[in-house]
Amino acid sequence: MNSSSLQSLQEKVRGPLITADHAGYDTARAVYNGMINKRPAAVLQVSQVADVMAAVNFARDAGMDVALRGGGHSAPGFGTCEGGLVIDFVNRRGVRVDPSTVTARAEAGATWADFNHATNAFGLATTGGIIGSTGVTGLTLGGGIGYLARKYGLSCDNLTSADVVTADGKFRIASATENDDLFWALRGGTGNFGVVTSLEFDLHPVDVIYGGVVIYLLEHAEAVGQLYRETLASAPEDLGIFLGVHQGPEVPFLPAEHHGRPVVVIVGGWTGPQDEGARQWQPFLDVAPVAGSFVGPLPYPVLNTLFDESLPKGLQAYWKAEFLPTMSDEVIKVAKQFGEGVPSQQTANHFYAINGAVQRVPKDATAFPYRDADIAAVIAGMWEDPADNDANVKWVRDYSAGLHAYSAGGAYINFMDADDQSRIKDNYAGNYGRLASIKAKYDPDNLFHINQNIRPAA
């Protein structure tokens, strides 16, 4: 792509078009995963929807690859590409709350920290991620698992409409009443169908929650894992917690002798009446000796950003996932086995609860089909030194293979890596055929293919 061609695009947009001869190019091309080192022809930091329409038309007509970047957290690095055009929403992070309709509209570059900051001022929230720096758009389009899922469903279940620029360069609104097929596909189908420029969500009353972190040595994994399973089967949906296997973090409430040791953690919050919070957490303080804990009243945005400081942009990253019918004893044994070798303090192996409200949505109501699995297991391998890449990637792959024996069939699309394309049909189960047909309608030439790609139906 020569400079004169790119200049013609710059004349049609208001946002900066950053190419290799710009001083800020290396910063603009960098994504969250430090393992990804691609050099796009240009990064367009869009200023408004008109920029997106011009960029889509330009890339399509020029035969360029297009990468879409919201928060930029994609582990496979789908927010960039080699030699193509990156449409980047880094400058579009606004969130507007409408208390009269109890909704919020987020621009495509907003993170969950942005979103929760805006909504918490009104004592409201919707299901978001676990890390505040995660993008609202990417998480939602892949389903959206978070602390509030048991009570309020997935992020995509709370989506009421989306503004989208499709492959023909046209602006469309996707909702239950406009382009409803596109709306269906966006709720779990990721960025396969167009460039989402903003999203509107239903909100719920969530303000100060009762929650935090309880840490145990890994030797207590069986007891903690069994309590987690039993609790999720009967606890009120106000309790949104996950089980994790980590290295002991360097935090004030964990004694130094446990830093770096294999541990099992319970993290999350109670969104019911404050005076019941301590009682709901007490079983997790009694089940086994506690190595460290930090539990009490917290503003919801604080819970959502607890891990942000320890997970900066630029870490090496390789992720895998599985949906599990239940947190079985066999799964707990696999978690304990591989927990002995957790390779870094940044690596996060989590077992998220997706029962409750998530399971009350029919499998075919959205593109996200795994409405009968209780657990979404994710293995987010992250570390600092590239010299450790081979060993750590092997640990993630081996652990994933160990869990796969107990899989419900597919996995959470937001935690699949670039080498997981062969699992795409399993991940969408009975919804894949419909997705492929909708892809053929809105993107027949597969312009938006830098993703976990759904190919257009023939």
Side-chain angles (χ1 to χ4, degrees), residues 29-38 72-77 312-319 381-386 389:
R29 72 185 178 90
V31 291
Y32 186 72
N33 185 353
M35 199 181 289
I36 308 298
N37 184 28
K38 295 184 178 179
H73 256 241
S74 166
K313 183 177 180 178
L315 294 172
Q316 307 292 294
Y318 184 76
W319 297 0
M382 293 176 281
W383 58 93
E384 296 178 357
D385 191 346
N389 286 6

Side-chain angles (χ1 to χ4, degrees), residues 398-410:
D398 289 348
Y399 189 175
S400 178
L403 287 179
H404 186 67
Y406 308 102
S407 174

Side-chain angles (χ1 to χ4, degrees), residues 70-71 89 92-95 106-115 134-137:
F89 288 91
R92 305 302 301 174
R93 295 175 59 170
V95 179
E107 294 180 308
T111 66
W112 284 106
D114 297 327
F115 190 94
T134 301
V136 171
T137 304

Side-chain angles (χ1 to χ4, degrees), residues 7 10 35 47 53 58 60 85 88 115 117 150 154 194 236 244 247 265 272 276 283 332 405 443:
Q7 180 60 34
Q10 181 66 86
M35 199 181 289
S47 69
M53 297 168 73
F58 177 85
R60 184 195 62 242
L85 177 65
D88 187 359
F115 190 94
H117 175 70
R150 294 186 71 232
L154 304 172
Q247 283 189 9
V265 304
E276 294 183 22
I332 296 168
D443 186 15

Side-chain angles (χ1 to χ4, degrees), residues 338-362:
F338 284 91
E340 295 286 355
V342 173
S344 70
Q345 287 203 344
Q346 297 89 354
T347 290
N349 165 219
H350 295 163
F351 296 87
Y352 298 123
I354 51 171
N355 62 347
V358 178
Q359 295 182 346
R360 289 195 290 275
V361 177

Side-chain angles (χ1 to χ4, degrees), residues 74-406:
S74 166
F78 290 147
T80 189
C81 57
E82 192 68 40
L85 177 65
V86 176
I87 299 176
D88 187 359
F89 288 91
V90 65
N91 296 326
R92 305 302 301 174
R93 295 175 59 170
V95 179
R96 181 183 183 276
V97 178
D98 185 343
S100 66
T101 60
V102 200
T103 61
R105 179 165 290 276
E107 294 180 308
T111 66
W112 284 106
D114 297 327
F115 190 94
N116 292 329
H117 175 70
T119 60
N120 189 249
F122 298 86
L124 300 168
T126 201
T127 304
I130 304 300
I131 306 298
S133 57
T134 301
V136 171
T137 304
L139 186 94
T140 301
L141 297 184
I145 294 170
Y147 294 114
L148 304 179
R150 294 186 71 232
K151 189 171 184 178
Y152 296 125
L154 304 172
S155 303
C156 73
D157 298 335
N158 291 278
L159 185 68
T160 58
S161 73
D163 291 347
V164 190
V165 176
T166 47
D168 56 7
K170 293 182 179 179
F171 173 83
R172 290 178 165 89
I173 296 173
S175 71
T177 57
E178 296 180 78
N179 301 299
D180 60 330
D181 56 346
L182 179 59
F183 183 56
W184 180 89
L186 291 175
R187 288 175 292 163
T190 71
N192 272 281
F193 305 95
V195 187
V196 172
T197 62
S198 71
L199 308 99
E200 184 180 65
F201 296 89
D202 281 329
L203 300 177
H204 310 279
V206 180
D207 191 355
V208 175
I209 59 94
Y210 195 99
V213 184
V214 182
I215 303 175
Y216 322 80
L217 297 184
L218 188 65
E219 65 194 68
H220 303 298
E222 286 92 347
V224 177
Q226 289 164 7
L227 175 63
Y228 180 62
R229 179 180 66 221
E230 293 164 4
T231 300
L232 293 180
S234 60
E237 291 171 6
D238 302 275
L239 187 65
I241 56 176
F242 70 79
L243 182 148
V245 178
H246 286 255
Q247 283 189 9
E250 295 178 6
V251 291
F253 58 88
L254 183 68
E257 63 263 29
H258 299 320
H259 294 175
R261 294 184 64 183
V263 298
V264 59
V265 304
I266 295 290
V267 183
W270 166 260
T271 58
Q274 277 287 308
D275 58 3
E276 294 183 22
R279 182 173 63 84
Q280 294 294 331
W281 274 93
Q282 194 60 46
F284 290 99
L285 298 172
D286 295 338
V287 67
V290 172
S293 67
F294 171 73
V295 179
L298 292 172
Y300 176 69
V302 172
L303 176 65
N304 187 245
T305 55
L306 281 179
F307 306 107
D308 285 25
E309 187 174 333
S310 63
L311 297 172
K313 183 177 180 178
L315 294 172
Q316 307 292 294
Y318 184 76
W319 297 0
K320 293 293 179 193
E322 295 288 347
F323 286 124
L324 304 171
T326 184
M327 192 73 188
S328 66
D329 288 346
E330 292 78 12
V331 166
I332 296 168
K333 289 176 183 176
V334 172
K336 184 178 181 182
Q337 173 191 346
F338 284 91
E340 295 286 355
V342 173
S344 70
Q345 287 203 344
Q346 297 89 354
T347 290
N349 165 219
H350 295 163
F351 296 87
Y352 298 123
I354 51 171
N355 62 347
V358 178
Q359 295 182 346
R360 289 195 290 275
V361 177
K363 290 184 178 183
D364 60 355
T366 69
F368 185 97
Y370 279 89
R371 301 291 183 165
D372 52 0
D374 278 355
I375 298 291
V378 300
I379 309 168
M382 293 176 281
W383 58 93
E384 296 178 357
D385 191 346
D388 296 331
N389 286 6
D390 288 347
N392 291 358
V393 166
K394 182 179 186 303
W395 178 85
V396 173
R397 286 175 172 165
D398 289 348
Y399 189 175
S400 178
L403 287 179
H404 186 67
Y406 308 102

